[in-house]
Structures are given as C-alpha cells and as structure tokens.
Amino acid sequence: MRIFKKPNESAIRSMFTVGFLACAAVAAMPLTSLGEPAHGIAMYGEPALPEGFSHLPYANPDAPAGGTIRLAESGSYDSLNPWVLRGNPAWPIFTMPGVVAESLMLRSLDEPFTLYGLLAETVETDPDRNWVEFTLRPEARFSDGTPVTIEDVMWSYETLGTQGHPRYRGAWSKVEKMEQTGENSIRFTFNVRDRELALLMGMRPVLKKAQWEGKDFATPGMEPPIGSGPYIIERADPGRSLTLRKNPDWWGKDLPVNQGLHNLDTVIYEYFGDNNAMFEAFKAGDIDVWRELDITSWQNEFDFQRAVSGEIVQSEIPNNRPSGIMGLVMNTREPLFADWRVRQAMIEAFNWKFINDTLSGGQEKRITSYFANSSLAMQPGAPAEGRVRELLEPYADQLLPGALDGYALPEGSEQPVDRRSMRRAIGLLEDAGWTVKDGVMTNADGQTFTFDILLNQSGSAMSTASEMQQMADIFVQALGNMGIQARVTMLDSAQYIERTNSYNFDMTWYDRALSLSPGNEQLLYWGSGGVTAPGTRNFMGIASPPLEAIIFEMVNAKGPENFTAAVRALDRMLTTGRYVIPAGYSPVSLLAHEATLKFPDTIPVYGDYPGFLPETWWREDAAQ
C-alpha cells in the first residue's frame, strides 16, 4: 500500500504562508500587483513561484508521455455543454479544468487563491483591485489551429455571464465594463468593491465564438466544444463512454505551467449504472482507477486476484483542505423545516455514533462544521472571540442559538436509540408545536409529521448510493420511534437532477466540497438569490442578509487574519443554521489503481482534488 504522509507542521505553515491561510503571518506583505504586469496573482502577498519557474511543485516534468487511462463514471449524459443549466452534461469536461477549454489563468493546487498565466501571458491590477487586465499569449490556439483572440474571450465572458449556468452570473453582474485595451489585452472594470473579482476573471473557460454563431448557447447538445486545451473529445457515446484524446499540436505543451501535466495520450471515462458494476469492472481490469469511499471496503474487499498479485496497488493521499459539508439537507422552503427547532430535532435524532459504528466500524470522522479539518473552521462548542465576535455581534438578534456562545453536534450513542438525544428532540418539537398523539407526531392543525428523503441511485461525488441509503434507513427507523413517518425515494440521475435543480424535495443528500480559498462562490451556495433561482447549490434555501454581509466582509478582507475571521464567522452561521445533518469525512483519499499508473511524490495541499487525477498522473511503461 502506497501511503503519503501529511507534510510536517512547519511545512504546512510554509505552504499556507505562500497562499493566505490564517496561520500565516503575512498581513504586512505587499499586494500582488501595483499596476504592473505579472506572471501570476495571489489574493494576498505574492505568488510563491517566481517569474520563469520551471514547473509546478506537484508536477513531475520528467514523467513519460503516452498511454491510456480508463476512469469510471456513474449514470449517463445527454450534453457536451457543461456550462449551461439545462441538460445532463458530461461532467468530466467541466470537472477537469483546462483540459478541453482553457482559461486565462491556471489555479495552483498548492497555493490557495493563487493563479498563474495560462492563455494569458500577464495579469495586471491596481492596489484596490478596481480593475484587472490580461494580456493574451499571441501563440494561443484552439484545437482546430485558429488563434484564440480577444474577441473570443469577450464573447465567452459575456455569453457565460448572460446565458450560462447561474454559477457565472454573479461575478458577471459586478463587471461595469469589459474593453479591449490592445491587440492582445482585455480589461475588466468592476462596479463593486470585491477583491476576489480580479482572480475570478481569470478562471472562466474561453470558447471559440465562431463555433456558436447562429446557435442557442443555452441549449444542451452533443456537438463537441472547440477548446484550446490539451485534449479534444474524440468520441461521445452517452451511457457508455466519453473518450478524450491528446491533441498532438496543443499550443501550450511547452509552457512551464504545463510541464509534467497532461501526460496521458488518451483519457476514457466508462459509464456504469451503479457502483457495484463499476467496482466489478475495476476488479476485472476494465477500468484503471477506483476511488473508494468506504473505509471498511478499503480494508476488507481488496483480496481479489489482481490486488493480491500486485497488479493493483492501494494509495492513500492526504489533504489539508476543509471537510466541506456532507449529509442530509433540509429544504427550508418547505414549512415543515422552516423552524430551526425542528431542524435541530432532526440532528438530534440522527445517531451518528451508532451509524458510524454500524457502517464503518467507527472509523469515519464526523464533520463538525463546514470548514472542519482546516484553520478556517470554528471551534465546536467554543464561544466566538476576538474579530469573529466583532463580525457577528451586530447581527446578534438575527443569529440562531450557539452562533455566539458556542455550538456542537450531539455525541450520539452506541445503542440504536440515543434516549437522551431523543428526549431533546421531542422537547424541541413540542416547542415548535408538535406532539405525539396515538403514536403519531402531529401539530395543532392535525398535520402529521411526514416527509420524503430523496436520493440519487447513482450516488454522489463523495458518497455511494448504498452508503446514503443505509444512513437514511437507520435514520428513518429512529424517526419512527418518535412518531415521525419518513420515506426514502431513489431516483435515476436525470430525474434527481431535475428535482434538485428546482428544489422539489423535503430532504435530500447534500455534499459540497469547500476550498481553502472561499470567495464569491459562497453566494451561489448560500445566497438568497438561490431561494428561487434554479440550479444553485443553495439546496437548503438560506435567505440571510447577515450571512451575505459576512461573505462581503470575507471577499474584501485586507489581509489573511481578517479573511480567516470572516470565514470562521461564516462557518458559525452556517453550522448553527442547522440546515444539514452532517455525516462523516476522510482527510485521506483512497485510490486503488493499476501499478503502472504513477503520480508525483509531492502531494499538493489540496490532495486528490480536481486538477490532480488524471492531470498529474502518467504511465510508467508509456515509453516502451
């Protein structure tokens, strides 16, 4: 088993310093740019890598080129346009940033909030980040050989901002003016104070304008997009596979930022109906990498022939990123879950200790807050102090209990029924107007406490369908002891996406990965616009002006200490909002893979994250 240890504490502090994390004392460092073109940009301080660097620290520039990797996806797709809301897109095109459609800048996985030039040769901004200007590399080319132009950039940004997925519209609404300032340069001037915008403008996919002339961009379709990235879509067979082939004429192959990346000639995504079929295909040698989400399976189910013989190896890859949030989310648009006391009662009824012992032998760590596993997290049970308290106190009368004085999840019990939590849950429900009558939880209007738990039969990026259903089934049994009738409904991926995009559910499974550099995307996740706008990640229906004010403080923080305080305040508001019943997480990714597939010994701070697999991997025998 190949195990990668976390960097030692001094190394972690060093990495955090060059990024912006709270444990770094870099508040006095100068801003990234004082109005002069630079090779990169950071939210605070300077990028760690100097101009003229040879390669990213987590890439192997000596990796052999060539070979094929076969990866697995669940479900299916009906669109090759992942940049719009409609359709069921082929997600690898979107989740592999820059592989098909590149952006002006490339995000480093080793430096939170740091970008290096990709399509853009330089970036320039003023000290207050009121504007940002990019100079396009004149040699940049689309896969069809035509040049990437400022016209393509301007069209892409405006189209994504007006017709694209809602994830793009928030930042676009803050652009006062977009203008071409030279043959290869473009400037964005902002209409609000928001320091992150200078970085966000470097992270949009750049598409070929001519491909979309006379077409409705917002309509999903199967025409392969023309991008400037290292791969083109060679074959798309919905429900079966998606094949990406390395472009031998890729314009960016010699850039330092790309050295050691995109080493494989062919990347194939095989699609399967469920996780069991995927795992059987892996055991049979039909796919090359298996990302295990169940620690007990990792320890007990790799005794098949290919693993025993050494054809398959198991690698544990650590990370230092936040846990994110994962668990059962309650839709506060529904009157049933509008009362925080009801939501806390649901959290009390979810006996995590028993569930964890039953499903993983107690090996999973519980998510204690949205930014757990990082220095951005609130401390469970501890009162808010210092700058965090200063940020929260103006909204004290609008905060839920625990935000200022401290909040922690119930400990749970080893027994199937946690009687202490059950008593607390029933007391909270009584306070909210619910009582048990003839064995049924009922309110004064005679309404019974009944709801549906919606699950995706294809699972999610962070949980298997089996794991989700087992947790939900145990939870349903516990609720039954309180006179609450809950049902579990499994839907195929297309139906599930349609339902969740329109927030047509009572409770569902929710996972949201969070980074070490939270910013404007937090409004898409938790902003009040998502209460009605379809397709956001605000499944819970949060509508909180104080929370949005904290996000504003976060994206405009002057220095890492103020930034961290704002994130911790946000973490408290989200956690004490009691929107999600948290499950567990692992600070280590479990990847089983063919022994000839390799990745660098230097693991980035983000670990196994978009941009790591397959981008940094290679075939050991590719040159043979």
Side-chain angles (χ1 to χ4, degrees):
M1 181 181 294
R2 190 182 184 196
I3 301 176
F4 291 83
K5 296 181 179 179
K6 288 190 176 183
N8 61 41
E9 290 302 317
S10 62
I12 293 174
R13 285 195 291 271
S14 175
M15 289 185 289
F16 288 177
T17 297
V18 300
F20 69 91
L21 291 184
C23 57
V26 297
M29 294 178 69
L31 296 177
T32 298
S33 174
L34 296 177
E36 297 181 359
H39 70 294
I41 184 172
M43 188 70 165
Y44 304 106
E46 300 287 344
L49 302 180
E51 186 172 1
F53 68 89
S54 61
H55 62 90
L56 295 170
Y58 54 87
N60 176 12
D62 299 320
T68 296
I69 189 170
R70 299 164 301 170
L71 303 172
E73 287 284 316
S74 61
S76 184
Y77 61 92
D78 59 21
S79 175
L80 297 179
N81 183 355
W83 304 292
V84 299
L85 178 61
R86 296 164 59 188
N88 185 16
W91 282 113
I93 304 173
F94 177 73
T95 57
M96 295 170 64
V99 168
V100 173
E102 293 175 310
S103 52
L104 294 173
M105 310 288 288
L106 176 71
R107 178 181 185 175
S108 171
L109 295 184
D110 215 36
E111 300 173 67
F113 258 151
T114 299
L115 309 178
Y116 293 98
L118 185 56
L119 284 171
E121 187 171 26
T122 62
V123 57
E124 182 179 352
T125 187
D126 67 302
D128 293 328
R129 304 282 173 94
N130 294 312
W131 56 266
V132 65
E133 184 168 311
F134 302 95
T135 299
L136 197 62
R137 296 183 193 270
E139 68 270 29
R141 294 290 185 274
F142 287 111
S143 60
D144 63 357
T146 58
V148 179
T149 67
I150 293 298
E151 184 179 9
D152 292 310
V153 177
M154 297 178 76
W155 176 85
S156 297
Y157 278 57
E158 182 174 9
T159 302
L160 289 168
T162 56
Q163 302 178 50
H165 194 281
R167 70 174 70 92
Y168 299 113
R169 298 182 186 180
W172 179 250
S173 69
K174 299 176 182 179
V175 175
E176 176 70 25
K177 182 169 57 175
M178 176 178 65
E179 57 186 326
Q180 183 170 354
T181 53
E183 182 180 359
N184 289 309
S185 58
I186 182 172
R187 176 177 288 203
F188 299 90
T189 303
F190 309 122
N191 57 25
V192 296
R193 182 167 63 91
D194 188 331
R195 290 182 51 79
E196 190 195 16
L197 289 173
L199 285 80
L200 290 181
M201 289 301 106
M203 298 174 67
R204 297 293 182 254
V206 175
L207 306 173
K208 184 178 172 65
K209 177 183 177 182
Q211 181 183 17
W212 298 93
E213 289 181 356
K215 302 172 184 176
D216 182 4
F217 181 78
T219 299
M222 289 299 296
E223 180 180 356
I226 297 175
S228 60
Y231 291 89
I232 61 175
I233 299 173
E234 182 177 61
R235 183 185 180 196
D237 189 357
R240 294 181 180 271
S241 66
L242 177 72
T243 302
L244 305 179
R245 177 175 57 81
K246 185 81 171 285
N247 177 8
D249 299 319
W250 176 38
W251 75 275
K253 61 180 179 295
D254 295 326
L255 293 180
V257 77
N258 288 322
Q259 298 309 295
L261 301 181
H262 315 302
N263 304 302
L264 298 151
D265 279 345
T266 307
V267 180
I268 301 174
Y269 288 87
E270 302 284 359
Y271 280 76
F272 298 88
D274 57 53
N275 281 356
N276 289 332
M278 290 166 61
F279 189 54
E280 290 303 316
F282 174 69
K283 290 166 62 176
D286 295 328
I287 58 176
D288 299 326
V289 181
W290 173 257
R291 182 176 280 110
E292 181 57 65
L293 302 176
D294 185 341
I295 185 64
T296 56
S297 295
W298 181 254
Q299 296 169 343
N300 302 319
E301 294 187 11
F302 285 80
D303 55 358
F304 52 93
Q305 193 275 328
R306 296 181 71 229
V308 172
S309 69
E311 294 178 66
I312 295 297
V313 296
Q314 293 174 264
S315 296
E316 299 186 1
I317 303 171
N319 68 76
N320 292 292
R321 64 179 185 266
S323 64
I325 191 67
M326 180 171 64
L328 292 167
V329 63
M330 293 166 273
N331 187 356
T332 64
R333 301 171 188 85
E334 299 295 327
L336 185 64
F337 294 123
D339 192 316
W340 73 266
R341 294 169 296 188
V342 172
R343 301 197 298 273
Q344 178 63 33
M346 297 297 100
I347 292 172
E348 297 283 355
F350 189 85
N351 188 353
W352 166 250
K353 186 170 181 56
F354 175 76
I355 291 173
N356 190 28
D357 289 346
T358 301
L359 301 185
S360 73
Q363 298 182 79
E364 286 286 321
K365 292 186 176 181
R366 189 165 200 191
I367 295 171
T368 54
S369 74
Y370 288 55
F371 290 90
N373 193 48
S374 79
S375 64
L376 301 177
M378 61 168 261
Q379 294 302 308
E385 298 177 341
R387 179 59 179 159
V388 176
R389 194 171 192 90
E390 290 177 6
L391 289 169
L392 293 173
E393 280 185 332
Y395 313 105
D397 60 343
Q398 301 175 64
L399 300 177
L400 293 182
L404 284 170
D405 299 330
Y407 175 80
L409 296 169
E411 294 181 3
S413 167
E414 296 177 353
Q415 302 302 316
V417 177
D418 182 357
R419 299 192 181 280
R420 288 184 299 175
S421 284
M422 199 72 71
R423 285 193 293 270
R424 290 194 296 266
I426 291 174
L428 286 161
L429 290 169
E430 288 177 348
D431 292 342
W434 295 91
T435 56
V436 178
K437 296 179 180 179
D438 299 324
V440 178
M441 189 69 71
T442 310
N443 65 11
D445 297 326
Q447 176 188 359
T448 59
F449 199 119
T450 304
F451 66 93
D452 192 49
I453 302 175
L454 194 68
L455 298 179
N456 187 340
Q457 67 183 26
S458 296
S460 72
M462 299 164 67
S463 301
T464 66
S466 174
E467 179 185 29
M468 293 188 296
Q469 182 158 16
Q470 289 180 78
M471 286 192 189
D473 287 344
I474 295 173
F475 182 47
V476 166
Q477 292 178 22
L479 293 173
N481 294 326
M482 298 165 54
I484 295 173
Q485 302 169 18
R487 302 175 301 271
V488 177
T489 299
M490 300 288 290
L491 295 179
D492 64 46
S493 183
Q495 290 177 306
Y496 180 81
I497 291 172
E498 182 180 357
R499 289 275 298 272
T500 53
N501 273 346
S502 60
Y503 315 119
N504 181 17
F505 61 87
D506 301 318
M507 182 182 288
T508 189
W509 191 261
Y510 185 78
D511 49 45
R512 180 71 265 167
L514 295 172
S515 75
L516 293 165
S517 54
N520 277 274
E521 81 285 348
Q522 301 298 303
L523 284 175
L524 182 64
Y525 302 163
W526 337 114
S528 58
V531 174
T532 55
T536 73
R537 295 298 296 175
N538 189 357
F539 279 23
M540 55 281 287
I542 301 174
S544 171
L547 186 143
E548 295 185 15
I550 294 297
I551 294 175
F552 181 82
E553 291 284 346
M554 182 183 71
V555 298
N556 287 291
K558 296 290 183 68
E561 287 87 356
N562 286 331
F563 173 84
T564 299
V567 180
R568 288 176 177 172
L570 174 65
D571 197 25
R572 283 179 173 272
M573 295 180 75
L574 289 169
T575 305
T576 58
R578 293 132 164 118
Y579 304 111
V580 178
I581 307 171
Y585 79 100
S586 174
V588 175
S589 293
L590 309 175
L591 295 181
H593 54 91
E594 282 202 359
T596 59
L597 278 171
K598 305 293 184 179
F599 55 87
D601 289 337
T602 300
I603 304 298
V605 170
Y606 276 96
D608 175 33
Y609 202 71
F612 178 72
L613 171 67
E615 289 89 333
T616 67
W617 292 50
W618 67 88
R619 279 276 182 193
E620 188 176 46
D621 55 357
Q624 298 178 7

